[in-house]
Amino acid sequence: MHVVREPGILYFGTPVVLISTTNEDGSYNLAPMSSAFWLGWRCLLGLAGISKTTENIRRTRECVLNLPSVELVAAVNLLARTTGSNPVPEGKLRRGYRFERDKSAISGLTPVPSQTVSPPRVLECPVQLEARIEAIHGIAEDDESQRGGRYCIEARIQRVHLEESILMPGEADRVDPDKWRPLVMSFQHFYGLGPQVHDSTLAKIPESLYRGPDIERARNIAPTLGAAIGMSGALNSRR
């Protein structure tokens, strides 16, 4: 029997993403989130307006989306309730957040240079997606009390880095879902994927038929000098 209830959140389960962004001083921020989904080579991110990540994205229009596997859950958990904002926003203070300048140091994760954007990738994450921001949409703009509190951010992927161990044998560009085990958050708790439960009719469609124009656009983007300079500044700020 179904009943009508009012849960405080409706997070029914999505992959965790570690978002790398560049701060005003050239250092970088690393923040976990789980409100993300993909359409082709575009990703939609749901982020709070008071987030340092949102602030950086609005200013620089770029980021890296690092997807951790279940093996990285302890490192991800160390980033929980930390923020790159100083002072810590009141809303985050009430939830027990603290300011941390060097997220890599407290998590033990390793920054490595990106090819097309300034923020670094996370070496340990099997999936690393360099992205440019194409649009930022306000959420709940119809409600004055919520306006400006949350944003839906459209990121266009322009470089995909995949750990070889998760690729499908004999397929250069396909991830093997039996090998890729993303870290998933469901109602604030961490989970992983289990084994396949049933054959999929959609899986019979060749993946090549989904290739869109963003892939060709990304292929023509050369590594930038700015990306290398940005990474150097980020590393220097940690010394």
Side-chain angles (χ1 to χ4, degrees), residues 2 16 35 43 63 75 94 128 136 145 153 157 176 178 191:
H2 289 76
V16 173
S35 297
C43 181
C63 65
R94 291 197 302 269
Q128 307 151 357
I136 299 176
S145 66
I153 298 172
I157 309 305
D176 190 334
D178 286 327
Y191 293 89

Side-chain angles (χ1 to χ4, degrees), residues 6-145:
E6 297 177 338
I9 56 176
L10 297 175
Y11 296 164
F12 289 96
T14 49
V16 173
V17 182
L18 294 176
I19 304 183
S20 304
T21 57
T22 304
N23 297 320
E24 301 92 330
D25 61 1
S27 63
Y28 60 87
N29 187 55
L30 184 64
M33 59 87 74
S34 61
S35 297
F37 72 93
W38 284 261
L39 290 170
W41 273 40
R42 304 273 171 144
C43 181
L44 294 178
L45 308 166
L47 291 168
I50 60 173
S51 166
K52 185 65 176 180
T53 296
T54 305
E55 178 185 322
N56 288 343
I57 280 177
R58 289 170 65 89
R59 188 185 69 259
T60 67
R61 312 294 288 195
E62 62 180 14
C63 65
V64 179
L65 309 178
N66 305 278
L67 276 62
S69 63
V70 290
E71 287 81 6
L72 296 176
V73 62
V76 173
N77 204 37
L78 289 172
L79 293 171
R81 294 204 290 187
T82 67
T83 178
S85 297
N86 188 22
V88 179
E90 178 61 32
K92 290 194 170 185
L93 275 176
R94 291 197 302 269
R95 295 185 175 95
Y97 280 71
R98 70 183 189 279
F99 168 69
E100 289 286 352
R101 177 178 175 80
D102 194 340
K103 302 288 191 69
S104 291
I106 65 170
S107 64
L109 298 172
T110 309
V112 293
S114 297
Q115 293 182 0
T116 67
V117 296
S118 295
R121 297 175 286 131
V122 176
L123 175 65
E124 292 81 2
C125 287
V127 179
Q128 307 151 357
L129 310 172
E130 300 180 23
R132 294 289 303 178
I133 306 306
E134 296 295 353
I136 299 176
H137 309 278
I139 296 178
E141 291 290 290
D142 59 304
D143 186 341
E144 185 176 352
S145 66

